[in-house]
Amino acid sequence: AEVALVHPDPALVQETLGEVAAASARLSGLLADLLALARADAGRRPPAQTVDLVAAAREAATRVRGAGPVVVVSTPAPLAAHAAPAEVALVLDNLLANAKRHAATLVRVAVLPAGRWARLVVDDDGRGVPVGHRDRVFDRFYRVEPDRARLGEDATGGAGLGLALVAEVVCARGGQVSVGDAPEGGARFEVRWPVA
């Protein structure tokens, strides 16, 4: 933006504004993630209630649809978790954005009952998470591929806060998170919340 102001070029105005808007959106997302982590560290959580995971998964899939890998949601039966709606949305948004970023063609989301747990499973057909990184992938600021470019149209990732946020909000509600191999060969992220 500073370069554009010093050297104005009417032919590049749209391109410059697009770059500024993209950078602003990325910084706004980073700030929101940092604030969410700070609230979690302070123990400030919204009250838990019954959250319809099936509806939440479908809404999240709608939010990430567009160009790129197809997102398919499968839910064999209604299922509700004991959590906060904003937390469920945050978990779904982060997991689906991560899966879309790394998938080749397909992201599968499943909401499944498992005894006293409500399971949310997100699979992709990308390269997966190497075994050596699985223990740290939920750590703050940890990135499997830290050398990738993070700005511009071919940006591949964020600051390493999304999965840390997922783990923080799920575990604070007595839930569990894990990462493994998807049947399609990519990554499988699984979240378990207590059933409502």
Side-chain angles (χ1 to χ4, degrees), residues 13-57:
V13 168
Q14 285 301 111
E15 181 182 341
T16 302
L17 289 175
E19 290 174 7
V20 169
S24 296
R26 184 173 181 283
L27 289 173
S28 294
L30 179 60
L31 180 59
D33 288 350
L34 287 169
L35 288 172
L37 280 170
R39 284 191 294 273
D41 287 345
R44 293 180 17 223
R45 293 189 313 269
Q49 54 187 292
T50 299
V51 179
D52 181 344
L53 281 183
V54 173

Side-chain angles (χ1 to χ4, degrees), residues 4-187:
L5 288 172
V6 173
H7 305 286
D9 183 348
L12 298 176
V13 168
Q14 285 301 111
E15 181 182 341
T16 302
L17 289 175
E19 290 174 7
V20 169
S24 296
R26 184 173 181 283
L27 289 173
S28 294
L30 179 60
L31 180 59
D33 288 350
L34 287 169
L35 288 172
L37 280 170
R39 284 191 294 273
D41 287 345
R44 293 180 17 223
R45 293 189 313 269
Q49 54 187 292
T50 299
V51 179
D52 181 344
L53 281 183
V54 173
R58 288 183 177 143
E59 290 167 10
T62 299
R63 287 192 295 273
V64 299
R65 283 202 172 108
V70 175
V71 178
V72 176
V73 179
S74 64
T75 56
L79 189 60
H82 187 68
E87 293 172 344
V88 172
L90 181 145
V91 166
L92 281 159
D93 289 347
N94 276 289
L95 290 179
L96 292 181
N98 191 58
K100 274 200 76 153
R101 186 168 42 250
H102 297 288
T105 61
L106 179 67
V107 174
R108 289 190 188 277
V109 182
V111 177
L112 307 161
R116 64 186 189 97
W117 298 105
R119 289 178 61 213
L120 169 68
V121 179
V122 178
D123 292 333
D124 68 63
D125 64 351
R127 292 179 296 174
V129 177
V131 174
H133 293 275
R134 292 181 185 173
D135 288 341
R136 300 209 45 221
V137 78
F138 294 104
D139 292 351
R140 293 177 187 188
F141 301 108
Y142 186 77
R143 299 184 72 236
V144 172
E145 297 177 14
D147 58 333
R148 284 187 174 178
R150 296 195 324 231
L151 295 174
E153 287 185 41
D154 60 348
T156 59
L161 292 176
L163 294 177
L165 270 168
V166 167
E168 188 76 35
V169 300
V170 170
C171 293
R173 295 290 180 193
Q176 303 168 352
V177 296
S178 63
V179 61
D181 296 320
E184 290 83 6

